[in-house]
Amino acid sequence: MVGPVSEPHDDKPAEAEAAAQDDPPAAPPDAVSLLTAERDRLKDQLLRTAADYDNFRKRARKDLEDALRRSKEDAIRELLPVADNLERAVDAAGSAKDAQAVVDGVKMVLKLFTDTLDRLGIERVPSVGQRFDPQVHEAIQQVDTDAHEPGTIVAELVPGYRMGDRLVRAAMVAVARPAPKPEA
């Protein structure tokens, strides 16, 4: 009798099957883990955006401060020759024999100063003879007169200046008002 033919026995598939039972199969990702991953990704993106914005804000503030500093330096550089000439005028006034020469020197320095203001874009606010405008004038005195129409500026005590449309300093002025009538 011939017995059953036995085939060589391979134990490897059985071992793989046993190992597969030890490690559970990879479970499909559930909704909670997907939402947690999305939350973490969005949180990281939000933190990065906040950091970028903070860096931008700091850089913009620094750029603005630098621009302001440079503009001040430019204005001072323009005004330094005026200060130099004023010092020369003071030195010359101490030894001058002719007062008119000192006056002429100071007038030249004043002309240099007004030219510098023009280059900086600063202009004087017109006042005397103009109608009082509270936007650019500050009335610090009223003058009783019939020679001028009420509300007309008759004297400028301190000049006003503007830079473009922006008022740098209001002109301090005296404004005409009607003279009181003598009582009969």
Side-chain angles (χ1 to χ4, degrees):
M1 210 168 155
V2 176
V5 176
S6 86
E7 294 181 17
H9 183 59
D10 189 8
D11 289 335
K12 288 186 182 178
E15 289 172 11
E17 210 173 289
Q21 287 175 354
D22 289 343
D23 293 333
D30 60 349
V32 173
S33 63
L34 287 175
L35 289 174
T36 302
E38 178 71 7
R39 180 205 62 200
D40 292 344
R41 186 185 67 76
L42 290 174
K43 183 179 178 183
D44 182 59
Q45 185 179 6
L46 176 66
L47 291 174
R48 289 178 188 273
T49 302
D52 286 346
Y53 175 73
D54 190 46
N55 290 338
F56 167 76
R57 190 175 45 82
K58 289 176 184 175
R59 186 172 47 252
R61 185 176 342 134
K62 183 181 180 297
D63 289 348
L64 183 61
E65 289 170 356
D66 288 347
L68 182 61
R69 181 184 46 78
R70 280 192 307 274
S71 67
K72 285 180 181 179
E73 288 172 355
D74 291 345
I76 288 173
R77 196 172 296 112
E78 290 282 336
L79 291 172
L80 286 176
V82 175
D84 295 340
N85 286 332
L86 281 173
E87 285 179 5
R88 288 186 196 107
V90 168
D91 290 343
S95 62
K97 296 180 176 111
D98 182 14
Q100 187 58 42
V102 174
V103 170
D104 291 342
V106 171
K107 284 181 180 179
M108 288 181 1
V109 173
L110 181 59
K111 171 79 170 105
L112 175 64
F113 181 70
T114 56
D115 291 347
T116 302
L117 290 181
D118 285 343
R119 277 196 311 278
L120 292 173
I122 298 173
E123 62 184 30
R124 194 170 179 155
V125 173
S127 295
V128 177
Q130 301 290 317
R131 189 95 182 126
F132 176 76
D133 180 0
Q135 299 290 323
V136 294
H137 302 119
E138 183 178 338
I140 59 172
Q141 185 179 8
Q142 289 186 335
V143 176
D144 296 332
T145 181
D146 289 327
H148 299 282
E149 195 174 314
T152 302
I153 298 171
V154 294
E156 179 182 71
L157 305 167
V158 176
Y161 294 93
R162 77 174 95 199
M163 185 176 213
D165 293 339
R166 194 171 176 97
L167 186 67
V168 175
R169 180 176 75 185
M172 294 182 190
V173 297
V175 181
R177 72 175 174 192
K181 305 292 182 214
E183 295 189 27

